[in-house]
Structure formats: C-alpha cells, structure tokens
Amino acid sequence: MAVGAVAVSCMYFVGACSAQTAATSPGGGVDAGTDAVAPRSDAGATLATSWYATGKPFADRYCRSCHGGQGPGVGDFTRYENVAALAPAMLAAVTSGRMPPGASDPACRDYANSDRRFVSAEGRASFAKWVADGTPKGEPNGEVAVAELDETIANPDLVIKAPAAYAPTYSNPNEPGNEYRCFALRPGLTSNKYITALAPVLDKRAMVHHIVAYRMAPDHLPAAGKSYPEDGWSCIDMVNAGVSVTGDPRQSDGMIVAWAPGTGAFNFPAGTGLSLKSTDVVVLQIHYFASGRVAAGTKDQTGFAFKLVDSVPTPIAIAPVGKSAFTIPAGDPAYSLTGSFGPVALPLTIYGTMPHMHVLGTGYELSVRNVDASQNCVAKADRYEFANQVTYLFKNPVVVPAGAKVDFRCTWDNSAANPNQFYTPPVAISYGERTDQEMCYAFTLIGLGN
Ligand code: HEC
C-alpha cells in the first residue's frame, strides 16, 4: 500500500516526481543516436523507438481504459508530456506486475480482449526500450494506432440504472478511498428471458473501479436491500450483497458477470444465454474509488444494459468450482489448495469464468482434469486482486468430457508482508463470505453438451 500511495502522490505532482527523466529526454530523435542511450540489447534493441510508434501504442493498449483521463486510474497517459515524465514509474508498475491489474494468462487460454488486459513480453520489452532510449517523441507519421475498445452494446433491450444518483462517502476505515455499494434494480420484465450480451452504462467513469452484477429472487435480498433503498447499501461482503454459496442453490443463480475498464462489453457465444427470470432482481455491486480527479460529493448513477431473447438453444448456468471448509495457516506466504467439480456425468462446455477469492488471494488455476489424468488449462494467473475481479469469456470454449473433473486451485498470502493483511499478527483464516474470511471459487459459465 505504501509503495502505491507514494507512486500515486507522485502522479499528482508530476513535475516533482520524474522531472529529470523528462529533462534528459532527447525529445524528438528516433535516429541511430538514441541507440547509444539504450543500455544493453534485448528484444527489439536495434529498432528505433518513439512516442508515436512505441510509447503511445503501449499506453493506449494496456493503460488508456483506466488512465485515459476519464477512467479510475490517475493521470492521462494519452498525453506525451505526462507519459514521458511518468515513464519510470509506469515501467516499474508494469515490471512488478502491479499494472495493469493482474489478469489471466492468455497462454493458458485466450479470452476476449486479452491483447489489452495481459501485457505481452514483447510489449513490455518495447516500452522498456523506449524508456531506456530516453522517451523520444519522434514523428506523428510513424504512429501505430490502437483502436478504442468498444465497451457498449448497440440497441439494448433493457437498461437499468441505480434508482438515484449516489455520492460515495468512503467512510469504511478498512477501505480508505474505496467503497463497495450495492443497488437492487427491478428489471420489470413480464416474461422470463435470456441475456445474450451486456455492458455497463457508466455515469462517472473516474469513480467506478469495477462492478459485479448478480441476479436473485427478491426474497434473497439482504435486510439492508429489502426496501430497494435509493442510495443503496454498503456491501463489500457477499453476505451483504445478498449472495450465498454454501448449500444454497441461489448462489449459482447469483452471478452474472464482473466488469472492469478494459474488459469490454460481454457478448455470450451465439446460441447461448444466461437466464433472467421475470421475478429476478438485479443487484449491482459497484466498487467506487476516490481517484482524486472527482470532487468529493460527486454523484454517480451507473447501470447496466442487456440484450435479451426469449429462449436459447444452450442456456448458460454458473457453477461455483472450488472449495469451502478450509483454513489458511497464519503467516503462510503461499498457501494453496484445490477444490473440484465433477466427475461430470455428461459432457459440458465452459464458456468463461470469474475467479473469486478475497483480499489474501494472490493466484489461481482452473483446469480440466481428464480421465487419463491429462490436464487442460482454462484460466491461470500468478496475480489476483480482490479489487479487480473480472469475468473471462473464452475465445474458444473448453469441452469437459464425461468423466472429467474441473479443478480450481487457489493461492493465498497470509503473511504479515501482504499489504492487504487484515490482522496484526496474522491469524488462521477460514472459509467464509465475509471479506476478512476467504473464499475459493471460480464462478464458471457452463452449458450442457459439447
Ligand atoms: C483496470 C484499470 C487500470 C488499468 C488497465 C491500468 N491501471 Fe494503473 N492504476 C489504476 C488505478 C485504479 C490506480 C490507483 C491505485 C490502485 O488502485 O492501485 C492505478 C495506479 C497506477 C500507478 C500508481 C501506483 C503504482 O502501483 O505504481 C501507476 C504507475 C500505474 N497505475 C500505471 C499503469 C500503467 C503503466 C498501466 C498500463 C500498462 C496501467 N496502470 C493500467 C487502474 C488501472
């Protein structure tokens, strides 16, 4: 946390932070002279770098959705002056893996917009080279354009928004600068439908860090949400969101998706869709973030848009793959365990997944274990952040053959060194739906058949 805080304040005081870097930048040369500045050879070391051909496409691809002047990330990385000044801090954040926020490795299985969510080794090397070259600006005619990510859906059938604009108070002492707020929304459907695509409808982008959408029967709303309060209710815990896992079938009906900037809109594969009953309530758990660029007291009224159809050949169900009933030893910096689903009686297809742990979670692996013990990677990351949970929709769905199992391995850091640690000294942490307990579920989008 301390490191992040220092770097963030560095971004507010750009001049004081990396002024030297900017001052020593050759600021224009993309000629052979810049090579003399490069320390040693790595991938692409012989190529001339420039803002237009190297720095900007990198920032546009991996950072712009949050640091483009409108998102929750501080600064505006679409501007050369800013990036030239902040390049060392940006490179440090990328090299350490803090930024962009940890995502599943597409080498395990490719998913929608992975090329913007997971930094490739080549991408990192070229940005590092540009920084080592002294962040030369170069000429606009060398620009490599990265298209803006479309995060909306055209002609939605249903748009639901929080009932009133809400100003986060950021008053939870455990979450300075962050607030998890739930809003219960009534879709007002007259018949049961299937969701085939969805996307958030953002009001104040800079405040919205990420959103998890749930669907549930009205009588499953938690006490705080029963009256559909206009200003929502505080709900960092699943319990307070109204979602429950253990032995409660409503959980599998509970998840819709988790969205964050850069995720894009969600378009389920043709012929599939997620049930939304006429009686269902949609709960949005919005993670608000005090980015410093939005005045205190600013109100937001974010919602979600849906494409709906009456029926689909393959309804998608959401299976929580993982484990309850476990204890993570106090102090263990890398404790792992695996929970399994199956063996499945009939073949299934996996379309996507949303890995979920709480604040001590650091990594995960979801895989299909075949009858012959061979494994098929589904989603895998060695960085996981509670504050950046997202759903991955696979480009090529995975088939789980009859007799196979699906395994989900979770890894946690329960040491004093974990900046997200709740307890000093650390204590043994057991399964539970409160945020100071831990969970280990991949909410996996499955359909019957292959
Ligand atoms: C999904 C949104 C998102 C994306 C994508 C993203 N950031 Fe961030 N970034 C944030 C937020 C929010 C913060 C504020 C502090 C935090 O939440 O960690 C931040 C903070 C930072 C900081 C200051 C804190 C630190 O850890 O050093 C740097 C530097 C940074 N980002 C660089 C980058 C770079 C470089 C990229 C692209 C390669 C990037 N970020 C992509 C959301 C994002």
Side-chain angles (χ1 to χ4, degrees), residues 62-254:
Y62 298 117
C63 321
R64 177 174 53 183
S65 58
C66 295
H67 297 274
Q70 294 186 327
V74 284
D76 180 352
F77 295 179
T78 63
R79 295 171 53 84
Y80 171 71
E81 295 70 26
N82 294 350
V83 174
L86 292 169
M90 290 171 64
L91 183 59
V94 172
T95 307
S96 71
R98 288 196 309 280
M99 286 287 152
S104 184
D105 185 346
C108 162
R109 181 161 308 275
D110 206 0
Y111 50 89
N113 300 312
S114 61
D115 59 333
R116 297 165 189 261
R117 295 164 66 183
F118 188 89
V119 180
S120 68
E122 302 75 43
R124 190 165 41 232
S126 72
F127 188 70
K129 169 79 164 55
W130 179 65
V131 177
D133 285 351
T135 61
K137 188 163 184 185
E139 297 302 328
N141 63 10
E143 175 153 1
V144 176
V146 177
E148 201 72 61
L149 174 66
D150 189 1
E151 302 197 297
T152 60
I153 52 172
N155 308 317
D157 298 298
L158 171 70
V159 177
I160 43 177
K161 288 191 175 186
Y166 170 74
T169 55
Y170 303 113
S171 50
N172 181 348
N174 289 326
E175 288 290 318
N178 294 271
E179 178 169 335
Y180 291 75
R181 198 82 186 169
C182 277
F183 299 92
L185 313 177
R186 282 175 278 217
L189 299 176
T190 51
S191 61
N192 296 342
K193 299 282 183 186
Y194 287 88
I195 302 167
T196 57
L198 71 164
V201 180
L202 298 161
D203 179 11
K204 301 291 179 320
R205 273 193 86 100
M207 295 163 69
V208 179
H209 195 290
H210 86 281
I211 307 173
V212 186
Y214 305 97
R215 63 205 157 139
M216 65 183 70
D219 59 338
H220 291 150
L221 282 168
K226 280 254 186 290
S227 63
Y228 301 82
E230 275 209 342
D231 56 353
W233 68 96
S234 168
C235 69
I236 187 169
D237 293 331
M238 283 187 123
V239 200
N240 294 331
V243 187
S244 167
V245 176
T246 357
D248 187 339
R250 75 181 134 145
Q251 171 59 33
S252 56
D253 283 335

Side-chain angles (χ1 to χ4, degrees), residues 6 11 63 92 98 128 162 199-200 206 233 265 285 294 311 319 356 443:
V6 169
M11 306 191 88
C63 321
R98 288 196 309 280
W233 68 96
Q285 183 199 45
V294 178
S311 66
H356 177 76
F443 294 103

Side-chain angles (χ1 to χ4, degrees), residues 325-328 427-434 436-439:
F326 57 78
T327 299
I328 304 165
V427 299
I429 300 290
S430 295
Y431 172 86
E433 291 164 21
R434 287 200 331 258
D436 62 345
Q437 302 172 308
E438 274 298 333
M439 289 182 65

Side-chain angles (χ1 to χ4, degrees), residues 29-54:
V30 265
D31 55 11
T34 56
D35 275 344
V37 190
R40 250 161 226 106
S41 80
D42 59 2
T46 54
L47 296 174
T49 62
S50 73
W51 162 246
Y52 294 104
T54 325

